[in-house]
Amino acid sequence: MFFQCEQPTVHNWPGSTESCYDDCHCEENKFFAICGQDGKTYYSPCTAGCKNILKEVYQNCTCIVGGTAVAGFCDYGCNQLYAYAIFSALGRVTGTLAIVPKIILIIRCVENRDKGFALGFQAFMTSLFGWLLGPIIIGYVIDGICTVWDVTCGTTGRCLLYDNDVFRVKLHSYCATSLACSFVVLMIACIYARCTGCLDEKDQKNNNNTKTSPPHLTSVNSDYSQQKDITVSSENNKKADGL
């Protein structure tokens, strides 16, 4: 959100006061950015007054100093890409650190019979909000940032030009809000688990289970004790008969 590039300035929008293309009768929805020889970006070859094109170079453009232009935006010197990529990667890595604690919290605070259901429910909610509703909401946010739409035969198509400043603020604000809500819910779950003592109770049960003998060993020891008692009793009876 804090790394930004300037919004490219587009000159000669349809309906502007420029008179150099009045005879061209340009359509408003025919956006096709070109970079003029004068270093300015123009809305389209039509609004730049270009008369012809030769080898992907627009020529005889009455609105451009020098008279020529090429397709695309002019370079406006944005050097924030690498810093943005590094901080975005660090943010993604930091976000993944909460995955394992959440799974451990679910496993240790849920009864044994409900562990499978709890993990499945978590995966379902993640798919619902992350993979199903997430793209719909993100798409709605991005569509609201569009400045120029491609309209053909009265049908609105793809977006041709976005407002970069609004795009940056809205998109990252939505992501930050989602992460904040997730963090709050996770903290509530941790506090609840700590206050109810479910984590300590599970630890105590696990310790007790490790200290006690396994069931099959207990059964063997019991059988051995009974057999020993029978043997001792039999020997005592023999001694009594001998006397």
Side-chain angles (χ1 to χ4, degrees):
M1 182 183 296
F2 303 102
F3 297 97
Q4 59 179 335
C5 294
E6 295 182 1
Q7 176 74 14
T9 302
V10 180
H11 298 270
N12 291 27
W13 285 73
S16 62
T17 58
E18 298 291 337
S19 59
C20 55
Y21 64 93
D22 289 342
D23 298 334
C24 297
H25 305 288
C26 303
E27 298 182 18
E28 294 185 2
N29 58 346
K30 296 300 181 181
F31 175 78
F32 186 81
I34 60 172
C35 179
Q37 189 176 354
D38 54 0
K40 297 180 180 179
T41 301
Y42 293 86
Y43 186 87
S44 68
C46 181
T47 60
C50 300
K51 299 297 189 297
N52 52 20
I53 180 174
L54 179 63
K55 295 182 179 180
E56 299 182 356
V57 177
Y58 295 92
Q59 299 178 344
N60 299 326
C61 302
T62 58
C63 299
I64 300 176
V65 178
T68 60
V70 294
F73 287 88
C74 295
D75 185 13
Y76 50 95
C78 181
N79 56 359
Q80 302 289 342
L81 176 61
Y82 295 106
Y84 175 78
I86 292 173
F87 277 89
S88 296
L90 292 177
R92 299 299 182 271
V93 172
T94 304
T96 58
L97 297 178
I99 296 177
V100 174
K102 286 189 292 186
I103 295 177
I104 294 176
L105 187 65
I106 292 175
I107 293 176
R108 299 184 66 181
C109 291
V110 177
E111 296 295 334
N112 291 332
R113 65 177 184 274
D114 297 329
K115 292 184 186 296
F117 174 78
L119 293 175
F121 183 75
Q122 181 202 19
F124 169 74
M125 296 301 292
T126 301
S127 300
L128 177 63
F129 289 99
W131 300 105
L132 182 61
L133 297 180
I136 297 176
I137 297 175
I138 289 292
Y140 177 78
V141 172
I142 293 177
D143 288 344
I145 306 170
C146 184
T147 303
V148 180
W149 290 94
D150 181 16
V151 180
T152 303
C153 298
T155 302
T156 302
R158 62 189 178 92
C159 182
L160 300 176
L161 182 64
Y162 291 99
D163 188 334
N164 289 346
D165 292 333
V166 180
F167 193 110
R168 170 178 55 84
V169 173
K170 282 192 174 182
L171 184 62
H172 289 88
S173 297
Y174 169 77
C175 295
T177 302
S178 301
L179 291 175
C181 294
S182 177
F183 178 78
V184 170
V185 173
L186 181 60
M187 288 298 100
I188 293 175
C190 291
I191 294 173
Y192 175 80
R194 183 60 62 185
C195 293
T196 56
C198 66
L199 296 177
D200 299 335
E201 183 179 357
K202 292 294 181 182
D203 292 338
Q204 185 177 1
K205 287 183 178 180
N206 291 333
N207 293 332
N208 293 334
N209 291 334
T210 56
K211 292 179 181 179
T212 57
S213 300
H216 65 280
L217 294 179
T218 303
S219 177
V220 171
N221 293 334
S222 177
D223 294 341
Y224 176 76
S225 299
Q226 292 178 1
Q227 185 177 2
K228 185 176 180 181
D229 293 339
I230 294 174
T231 303
V232 172
S233 177
S234 177
E235 291 179 355
N236 292 334
N237 291 334
K238 289 181 180 180
K239 290 180 180 180
D241 293 339
L243 295 175

